[in-house]
Amino acid sequence: MKTNEKVKEEAILKKERVIVIDFGGQYNQLVARRVRECNVYCEIYSYKTDIEKIKELNPKGIILTGGPNSCYEPDSPTYSRELFELGIPVLGLCYGAQLMMHVMGGKVETPEVGEYGKTELHLDKSASKVFEGAPETSICWMSHFDRIAKVAPGFEITAHTADCPVAAAENESDGLYAIQFHPEVLHTRYGKEMLSNFVMNVCGCSGDWRMDTFVEDSIREIREKVGDGKVLCALSGGVDSSVAAVMLSKAIGNQLTCVFVDHGLLRKDEGDEVEAVFGPQGNYDLNFIRVNAQERYYTKLAGVTEPEAKRKIIGEEFIRVFEEEAKKIGTVDFLVQGTIYPDVVESGLGGESTVIKSHHNVGGLPDFVDFKEIIEPLRDLFKDEVRKAGLELGIPEKLVFRQPFPGPGLGIRIIGEVTPEKVKMVQEADAIYREEMDKAGMNKTVGQYFAALTNMRSVGVMGDERTYDYAIALRAVNTIDFMTAESAEVPWEVLQKVTSRIVNEVSHVNRVMYDLTGKPPGTIEFE
Ligand code: XMP
């Protein structure tokens, strides 16, 4: 029986959402994340979304993102005036602000120069609801060419900068707010407060969307959906599939079978670590199948040196192994996928982003397993929220805060042919590197770091002997979105210690190098 409290909570959860309408800006996901940081559920929709759909969603507020176009050009993304007349508060950011003015009868122009970067912002109406708590002068982040030349009827100017007479404007009685700069970006000193003000003070959200409720509701929904059906999950040991598996296990116990394929390209001891958590001696009620497919992979990879060919072989072999295991289980009712919200948005199903990542498989059903339906329990969450859900579910921190590790594993961290001997070398070197980084506390400050095995052999001397051995490359990068990255500053002493340990402890390695290349022009991985 649901308590009255529970029913009420569900009603709030269903009702209270803010939507972000995406006009192709680079910060669209960031806007949604900031809203969620206010404990308000937020989703991203394309500007092509029908007004009827928006009415049906009945959001408490609407935020229009930036975008690369000029709103007065005929083919530019736009939205009908009706959106601004629904009686729902609207906040337009950058292009969204210009569009609001353009549609509502103001004027947008292209000045001689644009405005980019940190800019001093002066408030003209400090009593504005969105600027509560912000001082008269502060720093904001500008990135625009066009600007608002004249506000629409009913609007007043609420902030300006030296080059931008209308840095913000509002029509308070109609709940319409326009901000030319980017409050979602951390460089805008009071940006977080401004977005929170809009969501809480203007839209009147109560901020009830919390991870514990989300987890509880998801478990209940999964239980209702699955009934007494059988569920299959491909578990990689990565954050997303681990959190999904635990959520399922809490919901339906051993109706869930997790297949973990050890392709022999995992980091040192990783297979055993995953088994320790999810296997029979572990913490969860589920069927765990570990497939030790190392030899199969090494045989397939023998003699292959081209990076894409290696990726393809590793991917295809995974499907084959998984398929074989699935056949042994027979028909399953549901297949679990660890899809997360950025995958959904980037696949073009949510917002306007043009990046399509086919490997995410969003919306497409793999045809190699016989099942009826797919379950994607993390589909609505950003990565940091998946981690929060993981902690809420009691998953060990080591797993929850695990660094990204590519599907093809060490296969793409060994340049050239993959052999069992080379796998061993890179595993040992990587374990030493990670151990020393942990000791130095760098695991908390650096985004991703690992060792790779170059295909270079060179002459060295150890003891009195000449060696002709391999070189290990160490990589450490800081990144926000993994689309760009810069090499991280690792203290010299740490690098020296790691170098000396690798050369001494790992057979057939006689040199260690540190890669200083950023992305671009490099990539994070080596292949
Ligand atoms: P790159 O090397 O493209 O990596 O700069 C960006 C991020 O993605 C990870 N990565 C992969 N993840 N399959 C994956 O699941 C892959 O083939 C793959 N390649 C790279 C990489 O570790 C980094 O975090």
Side-chain angles (χ1 to χ4, degrees):
M1 265 299 277
K2 284 177 194 165
T3 59
N4 283 345
E5 261 322 290
K6 194 81 200 146
V7 172
K8 214 164 93 191
E9 233 175 61
E10 278 176 25
I12 290 170
L13 198 83
K14 292 234 155 51
K15 210 162 39 182
E16 193 158 287
R17 77 175 83 210
V18 164
I19 64 168
V20 168
I21 298 188
D22 184 3
F23 288 92
Q26 55 181 323
Y27 303 127
N28 57 7
Q29 293 193 28
L30 204 49
V31 176
R33 283 185 49 181
R34 293 278 174 264
V35 174
R36 291 203 192 175
E37 280 166 15
C38 304
N39 295 319
V40 172
Y41 185 63
C42 181
E43 289 174 326
I44 303 171
Y45 288 89
S46 161
Y47 71 89
K48 292 175 192 147
T49 308
D50 196 79
I51 190 85
E52 291 307 319
K53 168 80 182 165
I54 290 180
K55 283 192 209 161
E56 189 189 306
L57 289 165
N58 189 24
K60 295 276 276 186
I62 298 169
I63 302 179
L64 314 181
T65 73
N69 302 75
S70 284
C71 63
Y72 43 78
E73 279 169 5
D75 294 334
S76 290
T78 189
Y79 215 99
S80 68
R81 194 181 166 108
E82 201 184 344
L83 183 76
F84 303 97
E85 295 172 342
L86 293 173
I88 300 171
V90 184
L91 170 65
L93 304 177
C94 198
Y95 182 83
Q98 294 162 9
L99 185 74
M100 180 187 283
M101 288 304 146
H102 179 68
V103 171
M104 300 306 284
K107 190 166 183 294
V108 176
E109 65 178 12
T110 307
E112 303 245 304
V113 284
E115 206 181 14
Y116 300 96
K118 286 185 188 174
T119 311
E120 203 163 271
L121 177 76
H122 302 276
L123 299 189
D124 299 307
K125 182 186 176 189
S126 46
S128 163
K129 280 187 189 167
V130 285
F131 294 140
E132 199 181 297
E136 300 261 320
T137 304
S138 64
I139 295 295
C140 70
W141 182 259
M142 284 287 192
S143 178
H144 66 108
F145 205 68
D146 288 353
R147 67 179 187 193
I148 299 163
K150 191 166 148 264
V151 296
F155 280 79
E156 60 181 318
I157 297 171
T158 54
H160 69 274
T161 69
D163 290 322
C164 187
V166 189
E170 68 187 36
N171 177 340
E172 191 184 343
S173 56
D174 289 349
L176 302 179
Y177 295 81
I179 291 183
Q180 178 58 69
F181 54 91
H182 289 276
E184 69 276 22
V185 173
L186 288 179
H187 299 298
T188 298
R189 173 64 188 82
Y190 293 90
K192 252 176 122 163
E193 287 82 351
M194 293 170 191
L195 285 173
S196 165
N197 284 338
F198 174 71
V199 169
M200 310 306 284
N201 300 355
V202 176
C203 304
C205 291
S206 58
D208 271 7
W209 192 73
R210 288 185 204 281
M211 203 38 77
D212 51 353
T213 327
F214 175 84
V215 166
E216 240 177 65
D217 287 344
S218 303
I219 290 175
R220 202 192 52 247
E221 279 163 23
I222 291 168
R223 205 172 279 147
E224 280 165 13
K225 183 169 181 174
V226 171
D228 56 6
K230 271 207 246 173
V231 183
L232 180 62
C233 171
L235 180 69
S236 71
V239 183
D240 304 338
S241 69
S242 298
V243 173
V246 172
M247 204 178 255
L248 263 296
S249 147
K250 299 247 171 185
I252 53 156
N254 65 11
Q255 285 163 254
L256 170 71
T257 299
C258 288
V259 175
F260 168 59
V261 179
D262 185 342
H263 50 23
L265 302 165
L266 299 171
R267 286 167 290 194
K268 189 182 178 187
D269 299 331
E270 199 166 7
D272 296 340
E273 283 167 15
V274 173
E275 183 167 348
V277 175
F278 294 99
Q281 315 300 326
N283 311 327
Y284 304 106
D285 182 21
L286 51 86
N287 298 305
F288 178 81
I289 299 174
R290 174 174 176 173
V291 190
N292 289 313
Q294 293 91 331
E295 295 311 321
R296 284 178 68 154
Y297 278 87
Y298 295 155
T299 307
K300 287 270 174 189
L301 287 167
V304 183
T305 54
E306 208 276 316
E308 280 312 306
K310 289 200 279 183
R311 274 175 201 266
K312 205 159 172 250
I313 289 170
I314 297 168
E316 283 174 2
E317 201 55 17
F318 173 80
I319 292 176
R320 234 161 264 141
V321 175
F322 192 69
E323 188 178 22
E324 283 170 22
E325 289 308 313
K327 281 206 177 111
K328 288 185 204 158
I329 300 168
T331 308
V332 291
D333 302 289
F334 300 90
L335 185 75
V336 182
Q337 285 202 338
T339 316
I340 66 171
Y341 197 52
D343 304 337
V344 177
V345 176
E346 284 164 20
S347 299
L349 297 179
E352 254 326 286
S353 170
T354 49
V355 190
I356 310 278
K357 291 185 184 164
S358 55
H359 70 267
H360 285 134
N361 225 342
V362 178
L365 305 182
D367 54 10
F368 56 91
V369 181
D370 192 11
F371 68 98
K372 289 187 213 141
E373 219 181 308
I374 212 147
I375 296 185
E376 295 174 312
L378 312 175
R379 200 186 156 85
D380 292 335
L381 302 184
F382 286 108
K383 192 85 182 178
D384 51 333
E385 293 171 328
V386 174
R387 293 205 161 96
K388 279 190 203 155
L391 293 176
E392 198 59 51
L393 286 160
I395 300 176
E397 279 196 22
K398 195 171 169 206
L399 244 170
V400 169
F401 292 102
R402 219 181 80 138
Q403 288 185 25
F405 186 63
L410 300 180
I412 55 167
R413 290 182 184 171
I414 294 170
I415 317 299
E417 187 188 7
V418 175
T419 64
E421 296 72 32
K422 285 183 175 178
V423 170
K424 181 105 178 96
M425 276 186 239
V426 74
Q427 276 179 336
E428 294 298 330
D430 184 66
I432 292 170
Y433 186 29
R434 284 190 292 133
E435 187 186 322
E436 293 301 329
M437 290 289 271
D438 279 4
K439 274 196 217 155
M442 300 297 288
N443 53 338
K444 303 226 164 51
T445 55
V446 180
Q448 188 176 4
Y449 50 89
F450 55 87
L453 184 68
T454 72
N455 209 12
M456 182 192 104
R457 290 176 77 190
S458 65
V459 174
V461 58
M462 282 183 98
D464 288 331
E465 277 193 40
R466 177 187 182 277
T467 58
Y468 185 59
D469 278 328
Y470 285 96
I472 281 281
L474 302 178
R475 187 95 169 110
V477 295
N478 282 321
T479 174
I480 292 175
D481 52 10
F482 295 90
M483 307 290 270
T484 61
E486 45 192 44
S487 68
E489 263 188 57
V490 178
W492 198 241
E493 316 80 76
V494 179
L495 290 175
Q496 274 179 322
K497 177 92 186 282
V498 174
T499 303
S500 133
R501 279 195 61 193
I502 290 177
V503 172
N504 284 318
E505 296 172 35
V506 185
S507 310
H508 301 298
V509 174
N510 66 354
R511 270 174 214 267
V512 177
M513 303 172 184
Y514 185 67
D515 181 4
L516 280 169
T517 322
K519 174 184 177 178
T523 52
I524 295 176
E525 299 292 345
F526 275 63
E527 285 198 332

